[in-house]
Amino acid sequence: MKNLSILLISAFVILLSSCTKVVDLKLNEPESKVAVDGLISNRAGESFIKLAYTKGYLSSDEPETIIDAQVSVRDNGGNLILFTASGNEGLYLPPADFVGEVGKTYTLDVQYEGGSLSAESTMNDTVSGNNVNVIKADITDPYFEAGYHLLATIKKYKDEDSFYKGEIFINGVKQMTTASDIVAFDDRMFEASEELEARLYYWAETSEDDEKPQMGDVVTLQLISISEETYEYLSALSETPMQGGLFGKTPANVPTNIKGGLGWFQASSYGSPKHSIVME
């Protein structure tokens, strides 16, 4: 009886296998579009425009860069800044002495084979953090998770809401390496002249030693003043699964201010960096 049961099961498995049909699903790949990553900075040598075609979701190829476009930026004072290609990575740079100015609106114009792109952004006032400090919390702390926490205060300097991006460095090495690491926040819940007390970054106690601050390390906070639109873009980008970044597999549900393409163009002002030495 036992052998009969085994034979019946074997026959049933063979019957199922013979009925299996391989279906070749043909997915429609989205149309490749031009993606822009552009920054106008108030610091010399930091403004750039980067251009590339997006990849299909199933593509394993490197994104195709655009190295022969005509790229320029014009401010609302009528000044025209020409960006020239640098290398073969789709990177375009302005003259070395170019510096963006707070209060000015910048309009991007890109002419490439097959089309054109445009975008606009205004540079807001600079802002810097105060009382920057790195604290270490253990598992008994009632307020913080175990690990290292970067704290700072930021004073709201005007009635209108302001929006910020934070960049964090340990001994000069930038910590944010993926979209989920983006630090973007606002002061909408505060009144003018009030100070925000914010926890801007966190390193878990369980992180590897080379991934978190150590005693004596210098942690630097760089605050960047951004527009509300850029804040919304960065917030969406940080919450969206990305495949290879902006120039990788096509991201979904990420806003864009590029007319005729994807990506983002921003004019942002950098405040003075603030430093803190890690103490146990």
Side-chain angles (χ1 to χ4, degrees):
M1 187 68 180
K2 181 178 180 181
N3 291 336
L4 178 60
S5 298
I6 294 174
L7 288 173
L8 289 173
I9 293 172
S10 300
F12 184 64
V13 170
I14 293 172
L15 179 62
L16 286 178
S17 300
S18 65
C19 294
T20 301
K21 182 179 181 181
V22 177
V23 178
D24 184 14
L25 294 178
K26 296 187 180 298
L27 301 178
N28 293 326
E29 287 287 326
E31 179 185 358
S32 180
K33 296 183 179 181
V34 176
V36 177
D37 182 13
L39 170 67
I40 300 298
S41 169
N42 63 332
R43 302 196 301 197
E46 296 190 357
S47 299
F48 68 90
I49 306 295
K50 190 174 182 181
L51 304 173
Y53 290 100
T54 59
K55 298 188 300 182
Y57 186 79
L58 300 177
S59 174
S60 59
D61 298 331
E62 289 295 318
E64 179 186 355
T65 58
I66 301 174
I67 61 174
D68 56 357
Q70 303 297 314
V71 180
S72 65
V73 171
R74 187 183 297 274
D75 66 28
N76 55 347
N79 301 301
L80 181 68
I81 304 98
L82 299 179
F83 283 62
T84 56
S86 176
N88 296 315
E89 302 299 322
L91 182 66
Y92 295 78
L93 300 175
D97 59 351
F98 170 71
V99 174
E101 297 181 37
V102 169
K104 283 193 173 182
T105 298
Y106 294 89
T107 301
L108 170 69
D109 179 71
V110 175
Q111 302 293 326
Y112 66 97
E113 184 178 359
S116 63
L117 308 169
S118 64
E120 184 178 282
S121 183
T122 299
M123 185 178 293
N124 294 330
D125 294 336
T126 57
V127 64
S128 297
N130 297 307
N131 304 317
V132 176
N133 190 27
V134 177
I135 65 168
K136 183 179 180 181
D138 60 28
I139 58 175
T140 64
D141 194 292
Y143 303 106
F144 296 113
E145 303 96 323
Y148 290 88
H149 302 259
L150 175 62
L151 309 177
T153 58
I154 299 101
K155 187 173 183 178
K156 184 167 183 174
Y157 60 92
K158 60 180 181 179
D159 291 330
E160 295 79 15
D161 298 329
S162 296
F163 302 85
Y164 314 91
K165 177 185 176 184
E167 293 183 347
I168 293 91
F169 304 79
I170 297 179
N171 300 326
V173 178
K174 190 174 181 179
Q175 297 301 289
M176 291 83 85
T177 58
T178 66
S180 60
D181 294 328
I182 291 173
V183 176
F185 59 101
D186 63 82
D187 60 11
R188 283 182 278 202
M189 299 297 292
F190 294 82
E191 301 294 332
S193 299
E194 283 189 319
E195 284 192 330
L196 298 71
E197 296 183 357
R199 187 191 74 163
L200 298 178
Y201 208 71
Y202 165 62
W203 297 268
E205 179 64 30
T206 55
S207 300
E208 298 293 334
D209 285 346
D210 60 353
E211 296 177 349
K212 62 186 178 184
Q214 303 295 318
M215 186 174 65
D217 284 349
V218 177
V219 176
T220 301
L221 170 64
Q222 173 69 72
L223 285 183
I224 305 166
S225 182
I226 59 178
S227 67
E228 181 175 3
E229 293 77 16
T230 297
Y231 166 79
E232 298 293 346
Y233 166 75
L234 293 175
S235 297
L237 193 63
S238 68
E239 297 170 359
T240 302
M242 299 294 292
Q243 302 290 332
L246 176 61
F247 298 104
K249 298 174 183 179
T250 307
N253 302 322
V254 176
T256 178
N257 66 348
I258 308 297
K259 295 179 180 179
L262 298 174
W264 201 261
F265 171 71
Q266 59 177 305
S268 300
S269 60
Y270 289 66
S272 300
K274 301 295 183 178
H275 312 281
S276 177
I277 298 177
V278 179
M279 306 296 287
E280 290 288 350

